[in-house]
Amino acid sequence: MEICHKKIKDLRIKKGISQEKLAEISGLTLRTIQRIENGETIPRGDSLKRIASALGELPELFIKTEKQKDENIVTLLNLVQLGFILFPPLGIIFPLIIWIKKRDKIDNVEKVGKSILNFQISWNILLIILIIFVFIGIASIETIITFKALVSIPIIIFLYLYNFIIIVMNTIFYKRKRNVRYFPSIKFFK
């Protein structure tokens, strides 16, 4: 079990607590707190519980964990985007849930998840713009369907096909140990 001293220091600073105050609240000496935060000593058992309690957290927060390799989670992360077929925002929501829950635990979820989210958010924005063009075209004066609407509908169909194909291709690429590339996209997550 490895303790992350940086997390202890960062959380203490974030909460606006001085080392002296943390020592006082936890019942440990100032020098012990300093050594822990500098990585010179590792808090074990009771000391870790005291520090965590003083910071209002569970001790597990400060325990470093190695990221696991789980190809199935990353494959699932790729495939859940297909929810966009039923309702476009599901292509964002499902991957976002997996990304939030697994990015610190499973190898490659952070990188692949960001790429997926950037692509799906960009795709949804483009889809909304095109749908607005369709409605503006349908609502225009004198004609029921205008040129904008006639052009936008095939583009929307193309966007759906493109999204489907990109998802399937990247899922296959990942399974074959190749880099996934969701493009084009705006970088919302870097």
Side-chain angles (χ1 to χ4, degrees):
M1 174 173 78
E2 191 175 340
I3 305 299
C4 183
H5 61 276
K6 185 172 176 0
K7 281 186 184 178
I8 293 171
K9 182 177 182 178
D10 290 346
L11 187 59
R12 176 186 60 75
I13 292 169
K14 182 179 176 185
K15 293 192 177 222
I17 300 172
S18 67
Q19 286 182 331
E20 293 81 7
K21 188 70 175 171
L22 180 58
E24 180 185 320
I25 296 169
S26 66
L28 300 171
T29 66
L30 173 60
R31 185 65 189 131
T32 299
I33 298 296
Q34 291 170 339
R35 285 182 178 150
I36 290 169
E37 286 189 0
N38 290 330
E40 296 168 16
T41 187
I42 298 170
R44 304 240 185 247
D46 187 55
S47 297
L48 181 60
K49 287 178 188 174
R50 287 179 178 204
I51 291 170
S53 177
L55 293 171
E57 298 292 341
L58 294 173
E60 293 80 22
L61 176 70
F62 305 110
I63 298 172
K64 277 188 186 176
T65 55
E66 292 283 323
K67 286 188 178 182
Q68 301 172 341
K69 288 196 179 285
D70 190 340
E71 304 291 322
N72 294 330
I73 294 292
V74 183
T75 300
L76 179 66
L77 180 63
N78 279 290
L79 290 175
V80 295
Q81 299 173 79
L82 292 173
F84 86 91
I85 295 169
L86 300 173
F87 182 59
L90 292 178
I92 299 169
I93 295 168
F94 291 155
L96 181 63
I97 291 168
I98 294 172
W99 182 69
I100 289 170
K101 290 185 173 216
K102 302 291 184 179
R103 67 183 172 191
D104 295 330
K105 298 176 181 113
I106 307 293
D107 199 28
N108 288 327
V109 168
E110 176 78 15
K111 180 182 166 195
V112 173
K114 284 179 182 179
S115 182
I116 288 169
L117 291 169
N118 287 332
F119 175 76
Q120 289 299 334
I121 292 169
S122 301
W123 184 88
N124 272 267
I125 290 170
L126 184 57
L127 182 67
I128 290 167
I129 291 168
L130 288 170
I131 290 172
I132 290 170
F133 271 121
V134 169
F135 282 113
I136 290 172
I138 291 173
S140 67
I141 305 170
E142 295 184 22
T143 59
I144 294 174
I145 299 178
T146 66
F147 179 73
K148 286 181 199 172
L150 286 174
V151 170
S152 297
I153 291 171
I155 294 173
I156 290 171
I157 292 168
F158 170 78
L159 275 179
Y160 266 85
L161 285 172
Y162 181 76
N163 197 347
F164 180 81
I165 290 167
I166 284 290
I167 292 168
V168 172
M169 282 177 42
N170 277 301
T171 303
I172 292 167
F173 287 166
Y174 185 76
K175 289 301 246 179
R176 292 182 179 170
K177 310 284 187 233
R178 291 176 56 197
N179 287 336
V180 293
R181 287 194 52 223
Y182 285 95
F183 61 90
S185 66
I186 301 166
K187 300 287 182 205
F188 296 99
F189 298 93
K190 294 185 182 203

